[in-house]
Amino acid sequence: MLFNRHLVFLYVTLAVSVGYFISALSLGAPTSDGGLTPSFFPILVGGAAIVFAGILIVQKLREGADAAATEGPRSYTHLWVGAAIFAYIVAFKPLGYFLSSGLFVFALIVIFSSFEKLVIKAAISAVITGVAYVMFQQLFGVRLPTLWG
Amino acid sequence: MDFILLVINSFSLLLDPFNLTYVILGFVIGTIFAAIPGLTATLAMALLLPLTYTLNVETALMACASIYMAGMCGGSITATTINIPGAPSSMMTALDGYPMQQQGKGALALGHAALGSMFGGAVGALLLIAVAPFVAELSLLVKTTGKFSLLAFALIVVVIAQRGRIPQAGLAACIGLMLATVGLDAMEPITRFTYGYSNLTAGIDLMPVIIGTFAIAEVLMQAASSRDISAAAAAAEKVRIRRRDFLPPLSDIRKIGFGCYFKSCLIGYFVGTLPGAGGSMGSFLAYTEAVRTSDAPETFGKGNPKGIAASESANNAVCGGAMVPMLTFGIPGDPITAIMLGVLVINGIQPGPQLMSDQAGLIAPMLAALLFSAVVLIPLTLYLIGPYFIRIVSVRKDVLYAVIALLAVVGSYVATYSTFQMFMALGMGVLAFYLRRNGFPVITMLLGYILGPNLEEFLRRSLALSNGDPTTFFTNPDSLFFVVLTLVFVYFLVIRKPADKPAPAEAG
């Protein structure tokens, strides 16, 4: 089995390590006048990362069919959570703290539970948003963005 | 001696209602997070890290110390009552705690756990107070080449301590080192790996790394997990605990013996000083030693209070041990001390040999709070809110994770008032999530990221001082010492395969 989710992760890690290694090489020669240059350490680290990623890929390929058999049921909830956090960050300044945070907390409560009792969940979201605002802005003096500036 | 007096004087800071509130609040929050399976005190501390911007550094460090102590003992609550360790360090406690609960002695088991934690925490803190100044003085003898060898030793030990997954740990450490090289070079005016983003010129900030690695990754892990703890919550509803049953009888304590408590403390303390070992390794070794030296080893695992005492004494003694390398060399022993290091760095304080001599006034209150948490807060919290602790498991997970995510994302905004840091935290969270999901220990990534800049700088300085001669690492006595120490650890942990022991569990 050349592709399962563990292997895909290792392939991505290997690709990133190779990219990092090439970028490190482009910084110049690793040594100059008997001393180390800014490229030496990254070349060393990138090389080591490629070796470790290679070892892990070979190990995984040897495991082969056993690994495929042990893959559990897939859950995609984390993708929704990741998307919600991304959308929240994008909306944080344009929409202001209250609206963006209220919607974010509501979305997460729904993602982690179910699409039921929405009014209660909306009320809980409003309370959490308000309490967090008091904590950050009033108690700890953090200036949060609002629609009114 | 001066430092010990300074610590004693620092107890007066605990009389300040403001400081005391933060210490108590930190302890309660640490206990709650440690008691809920899936959450850890590390997560609690990562969430509270942004708030340290607005606190003075003494108060922030005192709160961190109490969270640390609470995190080590809080996991025993659910370990004992419903057989689900709230924290990895309480795994061994569950072996004897839960059988006692089944025999109707749950409260007594919690009492033994609290007594062991109290003893372990106090001995660990006292040893730290006594030993740290001497280690700091010794550390002044370590010069540039020795510092490189020491940091390399710490990183190598963290990697090889992850038995069974050394390549994963090595790759995670490399990822951390890669992150550390982003930004302006420390010795020459050259930017590296910024790819035109001016926001990256100063490097990747510690705050989004910690928040992403521990808070956002945890929320993603919980979202991806299919674990249903409703059965645990239902079991928790049935558990009845009475205050009067908490106090262990003197005969039980005598049977456990002072030697067992003290030996477990020493094991925990010394395990704590090793980078990456942590509370779970400390409690495992102490428990094994208690079984080995017992007259009735067959009673362990069936409700022997000695097992609880050994496990809890050791994991709380780890707190004191783990702070020794963090305070004296700037090398964190586990994720919590890594965040404490973050608190110091955020406040412009550089941990290392000079810290104990130049800024002992900042460190002493933290050690006083550590001791105070062990001796006063552990028994007091158990007595006052112990009967209700078990209800923590029943808290609504949807609301809990929504709150954690909100605090994490907004917390990452606090440092620079920039959404870039929020995106960085999300990016680090996604990275840490996939690392954890694929069996990579994130502690090695974090240590790579934290130690990376100094590791590179000392390597380059050492070779510059020796005109590029690499034998300098073997000819300087301080460096040679750490090279030999590294080889000794490699021999014992990799070449001479020891008995099957668990890899140190992640606290994050």
Side-chain angles (χ1 to χ4, degrees):
Chain A
M1 168 80 83
L2 278 172
F3 292 97
N4 62 38
R5 61 186 176 199
H6 297 294
L7 266 171
V8 169
F9 178 74
L10 290 174
Y11 289 142
V12 171
T13 314
L14 179 64
V16 171
S17 303
V18 171
Y20 177 88
F21 185 71
I22 292 168
S23 295
L25 287 175
S26 71
L27 289 170
T31 56
S32 167
D33 300 329
L36 303 183
T37 67
S39 69
F40 180 87
F41 193 71
I43 289 173
L44 197 69
V45 171
I50 291 170
V51 170
F52 281 123
I55 291 170
L56 287 168
I57 287 171
V58 171
Q59 274 183 357
K60 244 341 166 222
L61 286 173
R62 279 187 185 166
E63 283 172 19
D66 298 342
T70 54
E71 277 201 21
R74 291 193 174 196
S75 159
Y76 295 101
T77 316
H78 59 286
L79 297 180
W80 287 108
V81 173
I85 296 174
F86 184 85
Y88 176 48
I89 298 170
V90 171
F92 190 64
K93 276 193 170 169
L95 289 188
Y97 168 81
F98 283 105
L99 196 53
S100 62
S101 301
L103 289 171
F104 174 62
V105 172
F106 179 72
L108 282 194
I109 290 177
V110 170
I111 289 170
F112 274 105
S113 57
S114 60
F115 212 72
E116 293 164 350
K117 299 178 183 169
L118 296 181
V119 178
I120 294 172
K121 286 173 185 171
I124 293 171
S125 307
V127 171
I128 290 171
T129 306
V131 170
Y133 178 81
V134 171
M135 194 181 84
F136 277 109
Q137 179 113 2
Q138 308 298 328
L139 210 60
F140 297 107
V142 176
R143 195 163 32 84
L144 294 169
T146 51
L147 281 176
W148 55 88
Chain B
M1 196 64 196
D2 290 347
F3 185 73
I4 294 171
L5 287 175
L6 200 59
V7 174
I8 293 169
N9 287 335
S10 298
F11 280 101
S12 63
L13 284 175
L14 286 163
L15 297 175
D16 180 329
F18 183 76
N19 289 333
L20 189 63
T21 304
Y22 272 98
V23 170
I24 292 174
L25 213 60
F27 194 88
V28 172
I29 290 172
T31 307
I32 291 171
F33 272 68
I36 297 175
L39 303 190
T40 58
T42 313
L43 170 62
M45 212 184 274
L47 288 174
L48 295 174
L49 183 65
L51 304 182
T52 61
Y53 273 101
T54 54
L55 294 177
N56 66 52
V57 66
E58 290 99 330
T59 311
L61 288 172
M62 287 164 90
C64 285
S66 67
I67 292 176
Y68 194 10
M69 193 57 79
M72 282 295 181
C73 66
S76 64
I77 297 163
T78 45
T80 298
T81 48
I82 52 174
N83 204 22
I84 300 174
S89 55
S90 297
M91 278 188 307
M92 306 312 288
T93 309
L95 292 182
D96 285 290
Y98 188 61
M100 283 184 76
Q101 164 70 27
Q102 287 177 311
Q103 295 158 18
K105 298 181 204 162
L108 184 61
L110 285 175
H112 276 294
L115 186 68
S117 297
M118 196 174 114
F119 199 77
V123 171
L126 287 171
L127 281 173
L128 170 67
I129 293 163
V131 168
F134 296 108
V135 179
E137 271 182 40
L138 280 177
S139 68
L140 289 170
L141 301 174
V142 182
K143 304 296 177 208
T144 309
T145 45
K147 282 177 185 168
F148 168 76
S149 300
L150 169 64
L151 293 177
F153 159 76
L155 208 55
I156 290 168
V157 169
V158 169
V159 170
I160 62 177
Q162 307 293 328
R163 262 194 293 280
R165 48 178 186 167
I166 291 176
Q168 286 93 329
L171 184 52
C174 287
I175 292 171
L177 290 169
M178 286 181 193
L179 294 171
T181 56
V182 174
L184 202 61
D185 181 61
M187 295 174 74
E188 290 178 36
I190 293 174
T191 53
R192 300 182 295 184
F193 310 106
T194 57
Y195 304 105
Y197 284 96
S198 58
N199 281 316
L200 290 173
T201 307
I204 296 173
D205 205 40
L206 182 66
M207 177 86 83
V209 173
I210 287 177
I211 289 181
T213 305
F214 295 113
I216 293 179
E218 189 58 53
V219 173
L220 294 174
M221 285 298 288
Q222 296 297 334
S225 158
S226 54
R227 183 169 64 173
D228 182 11
I229 64 164
S230 56
E237 286 295 322
K238 291 177 194 158
V239 174
R240 293 282 171 269
I241 291 173
R242 291 173 307 178
R243 274 197 189 95
R244 62 173 179 268
D245 299 329
F246 282 135
L247 206 63
L250 211 59
S251 58
D252 272 12
I253 297 170
R254 255 196 235 115
K255 213 185 277 178
I256 292 167
F258 177 76
C260 172
Y261 283 110
F262 196 66
K263 203 192 309 174
S264 305
C265 292
L266 290 181
I267 291 171
Y269 181 82
F270 286 110
V271 167
T273 58
L274 300 176
S280 51
M281 180 63 84
S283 66
F284 175 83
L285 292 179
Y287 187 90
T288 311
E289 179 59 17
V291 175
R292 193 185 69 79
T293 54
S294 170
D295 297 334
E298 71 282 356
T299 57
F300 283 82
K302 295 171 187 165
N304 188 338
K306 197 169 182 173
I308 300 172
S311 165
E312 289 299 316
S313 300
N315 68 29
N316 278 78
V318 163
C319 298
M323 281 199 201
V324 175
M326 192 271 279
L327 292 175
T328 53
F329 292 105
I331 299 173
D334 59 12
I336 294 201
T337 45
I339 299 175
M340 282 186 179
L341 192 81
V343 174
L344 292 172
V345 172
I346 282 169
N347 285 280
I349 300 161
Q350 191 55 48
Q354 301 292 343
L355 180 65
M356 297 293 285
S357 51
D358 296 350
Q359 287 171 305
L362 294 177
I363 302 304
M366 177 173 74
L367 306 193
L370 197 68
L371 193 57
F372 175 77
S373 302
V375 178
V376 179
L377 292 184
I378 290 176
L380 199 65
T381 313
L382 179 71
Y383 186 76
L384 291 179
I385 45 178
Y388 314 108
F389 266 162
I390 195 62
R391 305 275 180 271
I392 292 167
V393 180
S394 314
V395 72
R396 275 183 64 165
K397 292 292 170 291
D398 52 348
V399 174
L400 182 71
Y401 295 128
V403 170
I404 290 170
L406 179 72
L407 294 179
V409 181
V410 178
S412 57
Y413 173 78
V414 168
T416 56
Y417 291 100
S418 134
T419 48
F420 178 78
Q421 297 292 359
M422 298 164 101
F423 280 117
M424 280 303 299
L426 175 60
M428 287 307 304
V430 171
L431 172 66
F433 166 72
Y434 280 106
L435 285 174
R436 284 176 62 181
R437 211 174 182 209
N438 288 285
F440 288 74
V442 290
I443 177 67
T444 55
M445 181 194 77
L446 190 68
L447 250 71
Y449 165 77
I450 288 173
L451 303 182
N454 283 337
L455 191 71
E456 181 182 10
E457 191 184 330
F458 291 134
L459 171 67
R460 285 165 68 182
R461 283 192 197 284
S462 302
L463 289 176
L465 288 169
S466 65
N467 294 319
D469 179 12
T471 58
T472 185
F473 296 110
F474 306 100
T475 51
N476 279 298
D478 52 346
S479 172
L480 184 64
F481 172 76
F482 291 112
V483 170
V484 171
L485 205 59
T486 308
L487 293 174
V488 168
F489 272 80
V490 169
Y491 175 74
F492 281 107
L493 291 176
V494 182
I495 299 169
R496 181 175 171 262
K497 299 255 181 196
D500 196 25
K501 287 171 189 170
E506 287 282 319

